[in-house]
Amino acid sequence: MGTQNKRFGAIRDLSLIESRRMQLQTAIDNSKSIESRRRFGQFATPYELAQEIMSFGLTLQDKKGISFLEPAFGTGAFYSALLSECDKHAKIINTAIGVEVDKDFFAAANELWGRTNVNLVSGDFTEIEAFEKVNLLVSNPPYVRHHYINKEQKSKLSAMTQKETGLSLSGLAGLYCYFILSAHKWLAPDAICGWLIPSEFMDVNYGGKMKEYLLNKVHLLRVHRYNPESCKFDDALVSSCVVWFKNETMEKNYNVEFSYGGTLERPAVCRNVDRNTLGKSGKWTHFPTYDAQLSNTHTPTLGDFFTIKRGLATGDNDFFILSKEEIEELNLDMNFFTPILPSPRYLKCNEVFSDKYGNPRLDTQYFLLSCTLPEEEVKKNYPSIWNYLSSGLDTTAQKYLCRNRKVWYYQENRSATPFLCSYMGRGKGEHTAPFRFILNHTSAIATNSYLMLYPKTILQEAITQTPDILHEIWNALTNITANDLESEGRVYGGGLKKIEPKELSYVKCPHLAELLA
């Protein structure tokens, strides 16, 4: 197999080069730990997916001559796909630029493609000045979560995007968002861009600036979301989408194509959504199945009846949460412990009953070490508690959450509530909800693996007047459909579903309104 282009000449045996590329990709991946690859966002694009994306991108670019840019080149999956697909679409490659920061991948790229006249640049794409304008950009930028970007880097990146686009990203934005905005200066008028990125930006608050860029700075053409049940990456825990846009601004309202499932050429579902509707919508993953007309009628939601909060983040569950047996064995003062539910994974029942002390009637009872006294007072008056706390000074106290507290062992304040919801889940069938609603009859609080639903005044008054209504409320919660829950939550690779407090508050629950009528 060979390919022909104007400047690069004939590239023979492309299939052999691609075979070698995949070998090198596997070897480099295997030489790095999965934690290291997640820290640097190194998740290689499968070649078949690269071909699918590149083929579609070439249909969008109406120019015959291609000037190509790949800001996260890796071993060159998209470049290989470009060489493979150009002849099929009667395109000629005039120039190609690949930027790669990782020395191992850059060396592999040089070995593979050094003779094809692609301009390979070793460096951090977000720090490189644009030296050429391109008309086609296709990339799988690094998925580096904000936790791995330090404050100095965030400040520098934010200043750069502000300068280039007038938009300053949230500190919670992942590195891929900075890549997209920093690429803007490389784009020729009418350039076509295709970004293979996590779909989470469509739902979360930090994605607001990204959506503003797509709607106002460029012409958004298509958003295709892959079915997360068929994860495109073997080693990434995110759901993926491809965002296509053209480097031009649009004054009038226009339609954007949203599709889901299948492939770019043959999606399972597809529909147009106008820009004005997108500008008003907080969650783009509603599309293409969401009917905007229904949003005009308010249906009661959980937020009408509950204040919803995440359970508390201890900073180190293994240290701060102990079983009753462990507390007794260490001879610790029970006055410093608060009952706490085990994680949903280990809580086998959905209704938790209380013993005479208000503790969960479970085979193993767990308690949270909750001390609000200053160190000197604990040291002086409660030596057993201080001895235990001291054992965590070099370990637990140095963990991120603990070291950023006023006093490292102080815990968040959470009161018990009768209603909880698991924070994540999968669902075992099409009609099975991925999240569990728990009815809690105890004084136990919960960690951040739960969402805690605190009844608002109207609901609390009903509970006070008629305590038996607890079960009816719980039944109303458990009868919320899987579709209604999933439509407000988010989905990650492999079908893992998560839902945040604000998202849960948007879930429709008309049965609760009927119950209180």
Side-chain angles (χ1 to χ4, degrees), residues 350-370:
N350 290 333
E351 184 172 11
V352 185
F353 296 97
S354 173
D355 65 16
K356 62 181 180 180
Y357 303 108
N359 302 326
R361 200 189 306 162
L362 300 171
D363 291 340
T364 303
Q365 293 179 327
Y366 292 95
F367 297 84
L368 172 73
L369 175 57
S370 182

Side-chain angles (χ1 to χ4, degrees), residues 135-403:
N135 63 23
L136 179 66
L137 184 157
V138 180
S139 180
N140 169 18
Y143 176 55
V144 179
R145 300 185 68 192
H146 76 92
H147 310 83
Y148 296 128
I149 309 173
N150 64 43
K151 289 182 179 180
E152 184 180 348
Q153 286 176 299
K154 286 181 181 179
S155 178
K156 190 175 181 180
L157 289 167
S158 182
M160 177 270 297
T161 58
Q162 176 70 38
K163 177 184 175 182
E164 300 298 337
T165 65
L167 300 172
S168 183
L169 292 169
S170 161
L172 300 178
L175 187 59
Y176 69 93
C177 298
Y178 294 103
F179 261 65
I180 294 172
L181 296 192
S182 64
H184 191 81
K185 59 182 177 289
W186 293 79
L187 305 181
D190 301 327
I192 296 296
C193 295
W195 294 94
L196 175 60
I197 57 178
S199 58
E200 62 185 29
F201 85 92
M202 292 193 273
D203 294 340
V204 295
N205 289 336
Y206 76 71
K209 291 297 181 182
M210 280 297 305
K211 290 188 277 191
E212 184 178 339
Y213 172 78
L214 295 173
L215 294 178
N216 299 326
K217 301 292 184 179
V218 294
H219 178 189
L220 184 58
L221 302 172
R222 171 95 179 266
V223 179
H224 177 75
R225 191 158 53 95
Y226 290 101
N227 186 337
E229 301 286 352
S230 305
C231 187
K232 295 297 177 182
F233 299 89
D234 295 332
D235 46 10
L237 300 176
V238 297
S239 58
S240 303
C241 68
V242 187
V243 176
W244 294 100
F245 59 82
K246 190 174 185 179
N247 185 29
E248 63 178 356
T249 54
M250 303 291 287
E251 297 298 326
K252 298 180 180 180
N253 192 21
Y254 64 88
N255 284 335
V256 179
E257 188 176 10
F258 272 73
S259 55
Y260 174 81
T263 65
L264 281 162
E265 291 291 344
R266 294 185 176 182
V269 187
C270 187
R271 69 175 283 196
N272 288 331
V273 184
D274 69 271
R275 180 172 67 170
N276 290 345
T277 297
L278 291 174
K280 298 173 184 176
S281 175
K283 282 180 78 79
W284 283 10
T285 53
H286 280 315
F287 307 111
T289 57
Y290 177 70
D291 188 347
Q293 299 301 317
L294 295 178
S295 64
N296 295 327
T297 304
H298 177 71
T299 301
T301 65
L302 290 179
D304 294 326
F305 304 101
F306 296 97
T307 298
I308 304 174
K309 297 180 180 181
R310 281 286 290 275
L312 58 87
T314 70
D316 185 349
N317 286 352
D318 289 339
F319 182 82
F320 288 111
I321 298 177
L322 289 77
S323 68
K324 188 173 184 180
E325 289 73 19
E326 289 172 321
I327 295 169
E328 292 174 348
E329 184 178 330
L330 293 167
N331 196 30
L332 300 177
D333 188 341
M334 278 299 297
N335 289 319
F336 287 92
F337 288 88
T338 300
I340 194 166
L341 293 174
S343 72
R345 179 181 177 185
Y346 297 107
L347 184 65
K348 303 305 180 183
C349 57
N350 290 333
E351 184 172 11
V352 185
F353 296 97
S354 173
D355 65 16
K356 62 181 180 180
Y357 303 108
N359 302 326
R361 200 189 306 162
L362 300 171
D363 291 340
T364 303
Q365 293 179 327
Y366 292 95
F367 297 84
L368 172 73
L369 175 57
S370 182
C371 178
T372 58
L373 299 177
E375 292 185 356
E376 288 304 316
E377 186 173 345
V378 178
K379 191 183 303 184
K380 179 180 178 181
N381 298 322
Y382 305 97
S384 66
I385 296 294
W386 175 248
N387 288 338
Y388 184 76
L389 290 173
S390 297
S391 70
L393 286 173
D394 295 329
T395 52
T396 300
Q398 306 309 314
K399 294 192 174 184
Y400 178 81
L401 195 58
C402 296
R403 72 171 184 263

Side-chain angles (χ1 to χ4, degrees), residues 229 286 425-437 476-491 497-499 504 507-508:
E229 301 286 352
H286 280 315
R426 293 186 183 275
K428 297 180 180 179
E430 182 180 353
H431 303 293
T432 303
F435 312 111
R436 296 163 56 197
F437 285 98
L477 295 174
T478 57
N479 284 321
I480 296 173
T481 67
N483 183 63
D484 282 344
L485 285 166
E486 291 177 21
S487 68
E488 296 299 343
R490 57 193 73 174
V491 187
K497 283 103 173 174
K498 293 183 181 179
I499 193 163
L504 186 61
V507 171
K508 294 180 288 188

Side-chain angles (χ1 to χ4, degrees), residues 33-80:
S33 69
I34 186 63
E35 176 58 28
S36 171
R37 289 170 56 212
R38 285 177 179 162
R39 178 175 289 273
F40 294 101
Q42 296 173 325
F43 301 103
T45 309
Y47 182 62
E48 293 76 12
L49 180 59
Q51 280 187 305
E52 174 193 325
I53 293 171
M54 186 61 68
S55 178
F56 186 81
L58 290 171
T59 66
L60 296 177
Q61 179 50 270
D62 55 12
K63 292 179 173 61
K64 184 176 181 180
I66 297 297
S67 52
F68 175 69
L69 171 64
E70 172 32 315
F73 195 82
T75 58
F78 280 116
Y79 179 62
S80 181

